[in-house]
Structure formats: structure tokens, C-alpha cells
Coordinates of all heavy atoms in Angstrom, one line a residue:
M1 N 23.5 5.7 -10.3 CA 22.2 5.1 -9.9 C 22.1 3.7 -10.6 O 22.5 3.6 -11.8 CB 21.1 6.0 -10.4 CG 19.7 5.4 -10.0 SD 18.3 6.3 -10.6 CE 18.6 8.0 -10.4
D2 N 21.7 2.7 -9.8 CA 21.5 1.4 -10.4 C 20.4 1.4 -11.5 O 19.5 2.2 -11.3 CB 21.1 0.4 -9.3 CG 22.2 0.1 -8.3 OD1 23.4 0.4 -8.7 OD2 22.0 -0.3 -7.2
K3 N 20.6 0.6 -12.4 CA 19.5 0.5 -13.5 C 18.3 -0.2 -12.9 O 18.4 -1.0 -11.9 CB 20.1 -0.3 -14.7 CG 21.0 0.5 -15.5 CD 21.3 -0.2 -16.8 CE 22.2 0.6 -17.7 NZ 22.4 0.0 -19.0
I4 N 17.2 0.1 -13.5 CA 15.9 -0.6 -13.1 C 15.8 -1.9 -13.9 O 16.0 -1.9 -15.1 CB 14.7 0.3 -13.4 CG1 14.8 1.6 -12.5 CG2 13.4 -0.4 -13.3 CD1 13.8 2.6 -12.8
T5 N 15.5 -3.0 -13.2 CA 15.4 -4.2 -13.8 C 13.9 -4.5 -14.2 O 13.0 -4.5 -13.4 CB 15.8 -5.4 -12.9 OG1 17.2 -5.1 -12.6 CG2 15.7 -6.7 -13.6
V6 N 13.7 -4.7 -15.5 CA 12.3 -5.0 -16.0 C 12.3 -6.4 -16.5 O 13.1 -6.8 -17.4 CB 12.0 -4.0 -17.2 CG1 10.6 -4.3 -17.7 CG2 12.1 -2.6 -16.7
K7 N 11.5 -7.2 -15.9 CA 11.4 -8.6 -16.3 C 10.0 -8.8 -17.0 O 9.0 -8.6 -16.4 CB 11.5 -9.6 -15.1 CG 12.8 -9.6 -14.5 CD 12.9 -10.5 -13.3 CE 14.3 -10.5 -12.6 NZ 14.3 -11.3 -11.4
I8 N 10.1 -9.3 -18.2 CA 8.9 -9.5 -19.1 C 8.7 -11.0 -19.2 O 9.6 -11.7 -19.7 CB 9.1 -8.8 -20.5 CG1 9.4 -7.3 -20.3 CG2 7.8 -9.0 -21.3 CD1 9.8 -6.6 -21.6
C9 N 7.6 -11.4 -18.8 CA 7.3 -12.9 -19.0 C 7.1 -13.2 -20.5 O 6.3 -12.5 -21.2 CB 6.0 -13.2 -18.2 SG 5.6 -15.0 -18.4
S10 N 7.8 -14.1 -21.0 CA 7.7 -14.5 -22.4 C 7.1 -15.9 -22.5 O 7.3 -16.5 -23.6 CB 9.1 -14.4 -23.1 OG 10.0 -15.3 -22.5
G11 N 6.4 -16.3 -21.5 CA 5.7 -17.6 -21.6 C 4.6 -17.5 -22.6 O 4.2 -16.4 -22.9
T12 N 4.0 -18.6 -23.0 CA 3.1 -18.6 -24.1 C 1.8 -17.7 -23.8 O 1.4 -16.9 -24.6 CB 2.6 -20.0 -24.4 OG1 3.8 -20.8 -24.7 CG2 1.7 -20.1 -25.6
S13 N 1.3 -17.9 -22.6 CA 0.1 -17.2 -22.2 C 0.3 -15.7 -22.3 O -0.5 -14.9 -22.9 CB -0.4 -17.6 -20.9 OG -1.5 -16.8 -20.5
C14 N 1.3 -15.2 -21.6 CA 1.7 -13.8 -21.6 C 2.0 -13.3 -23.0 O 1.6 -12.2 -23.4 CB 2.8 -13.5 -20.6 SG 2.3 -13.6 -18.9
F15 N 2.7 -14.1 -23.7 CA 3.1 -13.7 -25.1 C 1.9 -13.4 -26.0 O 1.9 -12.3 -26.6 CB 4.0 -14.8 -25.7 CG 4.7 -14.3 -27.0 CD1 5.8 -13.6 -27.0 CD2 4.1 -14.6 -28.2 CE1 6.4 -13.2 -28.2 CE2 4.7 -14.2 -29.4 CZ 5.8 -13.5 -29.4
V16 N 1.0 -14.3 -26.0 CA -0.2 -14.1 -26.8 C -1.1 -13.0 -26.3 O -1.9 -12.4 -27.0 CB -1.0 -15.4 -27.1 CG1 -0.2 -16.4 -27.8 CG2 -1.6 -15.9 -25.8
M17 N -1.0 -12.7 -25.0 CA -1.9 -11.6 -24.4 C -1.2 -10.2 -24.5 O -1.8 -9.3 -24.0 CB -2.2 -12.0 -23.0 CG -3.1 -13.2 -22.9 SD -3.5 -13.6 -21.2 CE -4.8 -12.4 -20.9
G18 N 0.0 -10.2 -25.2 CA 0.5 -8.8 -25.4 C 1.9 -8.6 -25.0 O 2.5 -7.5 -25.2
A19 N 2.6 -9.6 -24.4 CA 4.0 -9.4 -24.0 C 4.9 -9.1 -25.2 O 5.9 -8.4 -25.1 CB 4.5 -10.6 -23.2
A20 N 4.5 -9.5 -26.4 CA 5.3 -9.3 -27.5 C 5.5 -7.8 -27.8 O 6.5 -7.3 -28.2 CB 4.7 -10.0 -28.8
Q21 N 4.4 -7.0 -27.6 CA 4.4 -5.6 -27.8 C 5.3 -4.9 -26.7 O 6.0 -4.0 -27.0 CB 3.0 -5.0 -27.7 CG 2.2 -5.2 -29.0 CD 1.6 -6.6 -29.0 OE1 1.3 -7.2 -28.0 NE2 1.5 -7.2 -30.2
I22 N 5.3 -5.5 -25.5 CA 6.1 -4.9 -24.4 C 7.6 -5.1 -24.7 O 8.4 -4.3 -24.3 CB 5.6 -5.5 -23.1 CG1 4.1 -5.2 -22.8 CG2 6.5 -4.9 -21.9 CD1 3.5 -6.0 -21.7
Q23 N 7.9 -6.2 -25.3 CA 9.3 -6.6 -25.6 C 9.9 -5.5 -26.5 O 11.2 -5.4 -26.6 CB 9.4 -7.9 -26.2 CG 9.1 -9.1 -25.2 CD 8.9 -10.4 -25.9 OE1 8.9 -10.5 -27.1 NE2 8.8 -11.4 -25.1
A24 N 9.1 -4.7 -27.1 CA 9.7 -3.6 -27.9 C 10.5 -2.6 -27.1 O 11.4 -1.9 -27.6 CB 8.5 -2.8 -28.6
L25 N 10.3 -2.6 -25.8 CA 11.1 -1.8 -24.9 C 12.5 -2.1 -25.0 O 13.4 -1.2 -24.8 CB 10.6 -2.1 -23.4 CG 9.6 -1.2 -22.8 CD1 9.3 -1.7 -21.4 CD2 10.1 0.3 -22.8
E26 N 12.8 -3.3 -25.3 CA 14.2 -3.7 -25.4 C 15.0 -3.1 -26.6 O 16.1 -2.7 -26.5 CB 14.3 -5.3 -25.5 CG 15.7 -5.8 -25.4 CD 15.7 -7.3 -25.3 OE1 14.6 -8.0 -25.3 OE2 16.8 -7.9 -25.2
F27 N 14.2 -2.8 -27.6 CA 14.8 -2.3 -28.9 C 14.5 -0.9 -29.1 O 15.3 -0.2 -29.8 CB 14.4 -3.2 -30.1 CG 14.7 -4.6 -29.8 CD1 13.7 -5.5 -29.5 CD2 16.0 -5.1 -29.8 CE1 14.0 -6.9 -29.3 CE2 16.3 -6.4 -29.5 CZ 15.3 -7.3 -29.3
T28 N 13.4 -0.4 -28.7 CA 13.0 1.0 -29.0 C 12.4 1.6 -27.7 O 11.2 2.0 -27.7 CB 11.9 1.1 -30.1 OG1 10.8 0.2 -29.8 CG2 12.5 0.7 -31.4
P29 N 13.2 1.7 -26.7 CA 12.7 2.4 -25.4 C 12.6 3.9 -25.6 O 13.3 4.5 -26.4 CB 13.8 2.0 -24.4 CG 15.0 1.9 -25.2 CD 14.6 1.3 -26.5
P30 N 11.7 4.5 -24.9 CA 11.7 6.0 -24.9 C 13.1 6.5 -24.5 O 13.7 6.0 -23.6 CB 10.6 6.3 -23.8 CG 9.7 5.1 -23.8 CD 10.7 4.0 -24.0
A31 N 13.5 7.6 -25.1 CA 14.8 8.2 -24.9 C 15.2 8.5 -23.5 O 16.3 8.3 -23.0 CB 15.0 9.4 -25.8
D32 N 14.1 8.9 -22.7 CA 14.4 9.4 -21.3 C 14.7 8.2 -20.4 O 15.2 8.4 -19.3 CB 13.3 10.2 -20.8 CG 12.0 9.4 -20.7 OD1 11.6 8.7 -21.7 OD2 11.3 9.6 -19.7
I33 N 14.4 7.0 -20.8 CA 14.6 5.8 -19.9 C 15.6 4.8 -20.5 O 16.0 3.8 -19.8 CB 13.3 5.1 -19.5 CG1 12.6 4.5 -20.7 CG2 12.4 6.1 -18.7 CD1 11.4 3.7 -20.4
A34 N 16.0 5.0 -21.7 CA 16.8 4.0 -22.5 C 18.0 3.5 -21.7 O 18.3 2.3 -21.7 CB 17.1 4.6 -23.8
D35 N 18.8 4.4 -21.1 CA 20.0 4.0 -20.5 C 19.8 3.7 -19.0 O 20.8 3.5 -18.3 CB 21.1 5.1 -20.7 CG 20.7 6.4 -20.1 OD1 19.5 6.6 -19.8 OD2 21.6 7.2 -20.0
K36 N 18.6 3.7 -18.6 CA 18.3 3.5 -17.1 C 17.6 2.1 -16.8 O 17.3 1.9 -15.7 CB 17.5 4.6 -16.6 CG 18.2 5.9 -16.8 CD 17.2 7.1 -16.4 CE 18.0 8.4 -16.5 NZ 17.3 9.4 -17.2
I37 N 17.5 1.3 -17.9 CA 16.7 0.0 -17.6 C 17.5 -1.2 -18.2 O 18.3 -1.0 -19.2 CB 15.3 0.1 -18.3 CG1 15.4 0.4 -19.8 CG2 14.4 1.0 -17.6 CD1 14.1 0.3 -20.5
D38 N 17.3 -2.3 -17.5 CA 17.8 -3.6 -18.0 C 16.6 -4.4 -18.3 O 15.7 -4.6 -17.4 CB 18.7 -4.3 -17.0 CG 20.1 -3.8 -17.0 OD1 20.6 -3.4 -18.1 OD2 20.7 -3.8 -15.9
I39 N 16.4 -4.9 -19.5 CA 15.3 -5.7 -19.9 C 15.7 -7.2 -19.9 O 16.7 -7.5 -20.5 CB 14.7 -5.3 -21.3 CG1 14.4 -3.8 -21.4 CG2 13.5 -6.2 -21.7 CD1 13.2 -3.4 -20.7
I40 N 14.9 -8.0 -19.2 CA 15.2 -9.4 -19.1 C 13.9 -10.1 -19.5 O 12.8 -9.9 -18.9 CB 15.6 -9.8 -17.7 CG1 16.9 -9.1 -17.3 CG2 15.8 -11.3 -17.7 CD1 17.2 -9.3 -15.8
E41 N 14.0 -11.0 -20.5 CA 12.8 -11.8 -20.8 C 12.9 -13.1 -20.0 O 14.0 -13.7 -19.9 CB 12.8 -12.2 -22.3 CG 12.4 -11.0 -23.1 CD 12.4 -11.3 -24.6 OE1 12.1 -12.5 -24.9 OE2 12.7 -10.4 -25.4
V42 N 11.9 -13.4 -19.3 CA 11.9 -14.6 -18.4 C 10.8 -15.6 -18.9 O 9.9 -15.3 -19.5 CB 11.6 -14.2 -16.9 CG1 12.7 -13.3 -16.4 CG2 10.3 -13.6 -16.7
R43 N 11.1 -16.8 -18.5 CA 10.1 -17.9 -18.8 C 8.8 -17.7 -17.9 O 8.8 -16.8 -17.0 CB 10.7 -19.3 -18.5 CG 11.8 -19.6 -19.5 CD 12.4 -20.9 -19.1 NE 13.2 -21.4 -20.3 CZ 13.3 -22.6 -20.7 NH1 12.6 -23.6 -20.0 NH2 14.0 -22.9 -21.7
C44 N 7.8 -18.5 -18.2 CA 6.6 -18.3 -17.4 C 6.8 -18.2 -15.9 O 7.6 -19.0 -15.3 CB 5.7 -19.6 -17.7 SG 4.2 -19.6 -16.7
M45 N 6.2 -17.1 -15.4 CA 6.4 -16.9 -13.9 C 5.4 -17.7 -13.1 O 5.4 -17.5 -11.9 CB 6.1 -15.4 -13.7 CG 7.0 -14.4 -14.3 SD 6.5 -12.7 -14.0 CE 7.8 -11.8 -14.8
N46 N 4.7 -18.5 -13.7 CA 3.7 -19.4 -13.1 C 2.5 -18.6 -12.5 O 1.7 -19.2 -11.8 CB 4.3 -20.3 -12.1 CG 5.1 -21.4 -12.7 OD1 4.8 -21.9 -13.8 ND2 6.3 -21.7 -12.1
L47 N 2.4 -17.3 -12.7 CA 1.3 -16.6 -12.2 C 0.0 -16.9 -13.0 O -1.1 -16.8 -12.5 CB 1.6 -15.1 -12.3 CG 2.8 -14.7 -11.5 CD1 3.1 -13.2 -11.7 CD2 2.7 -15.0 -10.0
C48 N 0.2 -17.3 -14.3 CA -1.0 -17.6 -15.1 C -1.6 -18.9 -14.7 O -2.7 -19.2 -15.1 CB -0.5 -17.7 -16.6 SG 0.7 -18.9 -16.9
K49 N -0.9 -19.7 -13.8 CA -1.4 -21.0 -13.4 C -2.0 -20.9 -12.0 O -2.3 -21.9 -11.4 CB -0.3 -22.0 -13.5 CG 0.2 -22.2 -14.9 CD 1.5 -23.0 -14.9 CE 2.0 -23.1 -16.4 NZ 3.4 -23.3 -16.5
D50 N -2.1 -19.7 -11.5 CA -2.6 -19.5 -10.1 C -4.0 -20.0 -10.0 O -4.9 -19.5 -10.7 CB -2.5 -18.0 -9.8 CG -3.2 -17.7 -8.4 OD1 -3.0 -18.5 -7.5 OD2 -3.9 -16.7 -8.4
T51 N -4.2 -21.0 -9.2 CA -5.6 -21.5 -9.1 C -6.4 -20.8 -8.0 O -7.6 -21.1 -7.8 CB -5.5 -23.0 -8.7 OG1 -4.7 -23.2 -7.6 CG2 -4.9 -23.8 -9.9
H52 N -5.8 -19.9 -7.2 CA -6.5 -19.2 -6.2 C -7.0 -17.8 -6.6 O -7.4 -17.1 -5.8 CB -5.6 -19.1 -4.9 CG -5.1 -20.4 -4.4 ND1 -5.9 -21.4 -4.0 CD2 -3.8 -20.9 -4.3 CE1 -5.2 -22.5 -3.6 NE2 -3.9 -22.2 -3.8
A53 N -6.8 -17.6 -7.9 CA -7.2 -16.3 -8.5 C -6.7 -15.1 -7.7 O -7.3 -14.1 -7.6 CB -8.8 -16.2 -8.5
K54 N -5.5 -15.3 -7.2 CA -4.8 -14.1 -6.5 C -4.4 -13.1 -7.5 O -4.4 -11.9 -7.2 CB -3.6 -14.6 -5.7 CG -2.9 -13.6 -5.0 CD -1.7 -14.1 -4.2 CE -0.9 -13.0 -3.5 NZ 0.3 -13.5 -2.9
Y55 N -4.0 -13.5 -8.7 CA -3.5 -12.6 -9.7 C -4.6 -12.5 -10.8 O -5.3 -13.4 -11.1 CB -2.2 -13.1 -10.3 CG -1.1 -13.3 -9.2 CD1 -0.8 -14.5 -8.7 CD2 -0.5 -12.1 -8.8 CE1 0.2 -14.6 -7.7 CE2 0.5 -12.2 -7.8 CZ 0.8 -13.5 -7.3 OH 1.7 -13.5 -6.3
N56 N -4.5 -11.3 -11.4 CA -5.4 -11.1 -12.5 C -4.9 -11.8 -13.8 O -4.4 -12.9 -13.7 CB -5.6 -9.6 -12.8 CG -6.5 -9.0 -11.6 OD1 -7.4 -9.6 -11.2 ND2 -6.0 -7.8 -11.2
R57 N -4.8 -11.1 -14.9 CA -4.4 -11.7 -16.1 C -3.1 -11.1 -16.6 O -2.7 -10.0 -16.2 CB -5.5 -11.5 -17.2 CG -6.8 -12.1 -16.8 CD -7.9 -11.7 -17.7 NE -7.6 -10.9 -18.8 CZ -8.2 -11.0 -20.0 NH1 -9.1 -11.9 -20.2 NH2 -7.9 -10.1 -20.9
G58 N -2.4 -11.9 -17.4 CA -1.2 -11.4 -18.0 C -1.5 -10.4 -19.0 O -2.6 -10.1 -19.3
P59 N -0.5 -9.9 -19.7 CA 0.9 -10.3 -19.5 C 1.4 -9.7 -18.1 O 1.0 -8.7 -17.7 CB 1.6 -9.6 -20.7 CG 0.7 -8.8 -21.4 CD -0.7 -9.0 -20.8
F60 N 2.3 -10.5 -17.6 CA 2.9 -10.1 -16.3 C 4.3 -9.6 -16.5 O 5.1 -10.1 -17.3 CB 3.0 -11.3 -15.4 CG 1.7 -11.8 -14.9 CD1 1.1 -13.0 -15.5 CD2 0.9 -11.2 -14.0 CE1 -0.1 -13.5 -15.2 CE2 -0.3 -11.7 -13.6 CZ -0.8 -12.8 -14.2
V61 N 4.6 -8.5 -15.8 CA 5.9 -7.8 -15.9 C 6.3 -7.3 -14.5 O 5.4 -6.9 -13.8 CB 5.8 -6.6 -16.9 CG1 7.1 -5.8 -16.8 CG2 5.5 -7.0 -18.3
T62 N 7.6 -7.4 -14.2 CA 8.0 -6.8 -12.9 C 9.0 -5.7 -13.2 O 9.8 -5.8 -14.2 CB 8.7 -7.8 -11.9 OG1 9.8 -8.3 -12.6 CG2 7.7 -8.9 -11.6
V63 N 8.8 -4.6 -12.5 CA 9.7 -3.4 -12.6 C 10.3 -3.3 -11.2 O 9.7 -3.0 -10.2 CB 9.0 -2.2 -13.0 CG1 9.9 -1.0 -12.9 CG2 8.3 -2.3 -14.3
D64 N 11.6 -3.6 -11.1 CA 12.3 -3.7 -9.8 C 11.4 -4.5 -8.7 O 11.2 -4.0 -7.6 CB 12.6 -2.3 -9.2 CG 14.0 -1.8 -9.6 OD1 14.7 -2.5 -10.4 OD2 14.3 -0.7 -9.2
N65 N 11.0 -5.6 -9.2 CA 10.2 -6.6 -8.4 C 8.8 -6.1 -8.0 O 8.1 -6.8 -7.3 CB 10.9 -6.9 -7.1 CG 12.2 -7.7 -7.4 OD1 12.3 -8.5 -8.3 ND2 13.3 -7.4 -6.6
E66 N 8.3 -5.0 -8.6 CA 6.9 -4.6 -8.4 C 6.1 -5.2 -9.6 O 6.5 -5.0 -10.8 CB 6.7 -3.1 -8.4 CG 7.1 -2.5 -7.1 CD 6.7 -1.0 -7.1 OE1 5.6 -0.7 -7.3 OE2 7.6 -0.2 -6.9
L67 N 5.1 -6.0 -9.3 CA 4.4 -6.8 -10.3 C 3.4 -5.9 -11.0 O 2.6 -5.1 -10.4 CB 3.7 -7.9 -9.7 CG 2.8 -8.8 -10.6 CD1 3.7 -9.5 -11.6 CD2 2.0 -9.8 -9.8
I68 N 3.3 -6.0 -12.3 CA 2.3 -5.3 -13.1 C 1.5 -6.4 -13.8 O 2.1 -7.3 -14.5 CB 2.9 -4.4 -14.2 CG1 3.8 -3.3 -13.6 CG2 1.8 -3.8 -15.0 CD1 4.6 -2.5 -14.6
E69 N 0.2 -6.4 -13.5 CA -0.7 -7.4 -14.2 C -1.4 -6.7 -15.4 O -1.5 -5.5 -15.4 CB -1.7 -7.9 -13.2 CG -1.1 -8.5 -11.9 CD -2.1 -8.7 -10.8 OE1 -3.1 -9.4 -11.1 OE2 -1.8 -8.3 -9.7
E70 N -1.8 -7.5 -16.3 CA -2.4 -7.0 -17.5 C -1.5 -5.8 -18.1 O -2.0 -4.8 -18.4 CB -3.8 -6.5 -17.3 CG -4.8 -7.7 -16.8 CD -6.2 -7.2 -16.6 OE1 -6.8 -6.9 -17.7 OE2 -6.6 -7.2 -15.5
A71 N -0.2 -6.1 -18.1 CA 0.7 -5.1 -18.5 C 0.6 -4.7 -20.0 O 0.2 -5.5 -20.8 CB 2.1 -5.6 -18.3
T72 N 0.8 -3.4 -20.2 CA 0.9 -2.9 -21.6 C 2.2 -2.1 -21.6 O 2.8 -1.8 -20.6 CB -0.3 -1.9 -21.9 OG1 -0.2 -0.8 -21.0 CG2 -1.6 -2.6 -21.7
Y73 N 2.6 -1.8 -22.8 CA 3.8 -1.0 -23.0 C 3.7 0.3 -22.2 O 4.6 0.7 -21.5 CB 4.0 -0.7 -24.5 CG 5.2 0.1 -24.9 CD1 6.4 -0.5 -25.3 CD2 5.2 1.5 -24.9 CE1 7.5 0.2 -25.7 CE2 6.3 2.3 -25.2 CZ 7.4 1.6 -25.7 OH 8.5 2.3 -26.0
E74 N 2.6 1.0 -22.3 CA 2.4 2.2 -21.6 C 2.4 2.1 -20.1 O 3.0 2.9 -19.4 CB 1.0 2.9 -22.1 CG 1.0 3.3 -23.5 CD 0.8 2.2 -24.5 OE1 0.4 1.1 -24.1 OE2 1.1 2.4 -25.7
K75 N 1.8 1.0 -19.6 CA 1.8 0.8 -18.2 C 3.2 0.6 -17.6 O 3.6 1.1 -16.6 CB 1.0 -0.4 -17.8 CG -0.5 -0.2 -17.6 CD -1.1 -1.6 -17.2 CE -2.5 -1.5 -16.6 NZ -3.0 -2.9 -16.2
V76 N 4.0 -0.2 -18.4 CA 5.3 -0.5 -18.0 C 6.2 0.8 -18.0 O 6.9 1.1 -17.0 CB 5.9 -1.6 -18.8 CG1 7.4 -1.8 -18.5 CG2 5.2 -2.9 -18.7
V77 N 6.1 1.6 -19.0 CA 6.9 2.8 -19.1 C 6.5 3.8 -18.0 O 7.3 4.4 -17.4 CB 6.7 3.5 -20.5 CG1 7.2 4.9 -20.5 CG2 7.3 2.7 -21.6
T78 N 5.2 3.9 -17.7 CA 4.7 4.7 -16.6 C 5.3 4.3 -15.3 O 5.8 5.1 -14.5 CB 3.2 4.7 -16.5 OG1 2.7 5.3 -17.7 CG2 2.7 5.5 -15.3
K79 N 5.3 2.9 -15.0 CA 5.9 2.4 -13.8 C 7.4 2.7 -13.7 O 7.9 3.0 -12.7 CB 5.6 0.9 -13.7 CG 6.2 0.2 -12.5 CD 5.8 0.8 -11.2 CE 4.5 0.4 -10.7 NZ 4.1 0.9 -9.4
I80 N 8.1 2.5 -14.8 CA 9.5 2.8 -14.8 C 9.8 4.2 -14.4 O 10.6 4.5 -13.6 CB 10.1 2.5 -16.2 CG1 10.1 0.9 -16.5 CG2 11.5 3.0 -16.3 CD1 10.4 0.6 -17.9
R81 N 9.0 5.1 -15.0 CA 9.2 6.6 -14.7 C 8.9 6.9 -13.2 O 9.6 7.7 -12.6 CB 8.3 7.4 -15.6 CG 8.9 7.4 -17.1 CD 8.1 8.3 -18.0 NE 8.7 8.4 -19.3 CZ 8.0 8.3 -20.5 NH1 6.7 8.3 -20.5 NH2 8.7 8.4 -21.6
D82 N 7.9 6.2 -12.7 CA 7.5 6.4 -11.3 C 8.7 5.9 -10.4 O 9.0 6.6 -9.4 CB 6.2 5.6 -10.9 CG 5.0 6.2 -11.4 OD1 5.1 7.4 -11.9 OD2 3.9 5.6 -11.4
V83 N 9.2 4.7 -10.7 CA 10.3 4.2 -9.9 C 11.5 5.1 -10.0 O 12.2 5.4 -9.0 CB 10.7 2.7 -10.4 CG1 11.9 2.2 -9.7 CG2 9.5 1.8 -10.1
L84 N 11.8 5.6 -11.2 CA 12.9 6.5 -11.4 C 12.7 7.8 -10.5 O 13.7 8.3 -9.9 CB 13.1 6.9 -12.9 CG 13.8 5.9 -13.8 CD1 13.7 6.3 -15.2 CD2 15.3 5.8 -13.4
K85 N 11.5 8.3 -10.6 CA 11.2 9.5 -9.8 C 11.5 9.3 -8.3 O 12.1 10.1 -7.6 CB 9.8 9.9 -10.0 CG 9.5 11.4 -9.9 CD 8.1 11.8 -10.2 CE 7.7 11.6 -11.6 NZ 6.3 11.9 -11.9
N86 N 11.0 8.1 -7.8 CA 11.2 7.8 -6.4 C 12.7 7.6 -6.1 O 13.1 8.0 -5.0 CB 10.4 6.5 -6.1 CG 8.9 6.7 -6.0 OD1 8.5 7.9 -5.8 ND2 8.2 5.7 -6.2
K87 N 13.4 7.0 -7.0 CA 14.9 6.8 -6.7 C 15.6 8.2 -6.7 O 16.5 8.4 -5.9 CB 15.5 6.0 -7.8 CG 15.2 4.5 -7.6 CD 16.1 3.7 -8.6 CE 15.9 2.2 -8.2 NZ 16.9 1.3 -9.0
E88 N 15.2 9.1 -7.5 CA 15.8 10.4 -7.5 C 15.5 11.2 -6.3 O 16.3 12.1 -5.9 CB 15.3 11.2 -8.8 CG 15.9 10.6 -10.1 CD 15.3 11.2 -11.3 OE1 14.3 12.0 -11.2 OE2 15.7 10.8 -12.4
C89 N 14.4 10.9 -5.6 CA 14.0 11.6 -4.4 C 14.7 11.1 -3.2 O 14.8 11.8 -2.2 CB 12.5 11.5 -4.2 SG 11.5 12.4 -5.4
Q90 N 15.3 9.9 -3.3 CA 16.0 9.3 -2.1 C 17.4 9.9 -1.9 O 18.0 10.3 -2.8 CB 16.0 7.8 -2.3 CG 14.6 7.2 -2.2 CD 14.6 5.7 -2.4 OE1 15.7 5.1 -2.7 NE2 13.5 5.1 -2.4
Ligands
FES101 S1 3.0 -17.3 -19.3 FE1 3.4 -15.5 -18.1 S2 3.0 -16.1 -16.1 FE2 2.7 -17.9 -17.2

């Protein structure tokens, strides 16, 4: 099974809003997902600069291209487990 790609915005806005805590996934992921994810830190996704208020607030994270707004460590882990479950059903 392909690994799940997790992109964590490390731009200043997302970083100060909590992306730093989410980056812990890279070093201390839960054991059940540790070998199933690739963590990539990316520069500002420009979602924080959206002037049409389409997006809520950061930190922004994508899990296999599904966007998580106001991301937290727990939200990201839950999304990863959901994606894994869906992949296992296919
Ligand atoms: S700093 Fe994360 S979207 Fe801009």
C-alpha cells in the first residue's frame, strides 16, 4: 500500500497557530501509523492570504490532498486513520 502523504504548512502564520505541535508527527507518530505516512513540511500554501474568506484559519495540513483547516495533532491523526481505513476497504 502506498504511504499517505501529509503536508504540514510551516509558513509563519500556520507555525504560530499550532503547526509546530503537528510537526511532532514526524518524530513521534502513533505506532499504528508510523510506517504508513510520509511527512512533508511545505512553505506557506497561501491559504492564509485568501481574501475571499473561502478558507477558515490555519494551521493548514493536507492528508493525501484532503485539506484540514484549523488543524491539530489529533485532527490530523484522525484523518490519517480514516484515509487508511478507506484504503484498506478498496
Ligand atoms: S502560513 Fe500556512 S497557509 Fe500561509
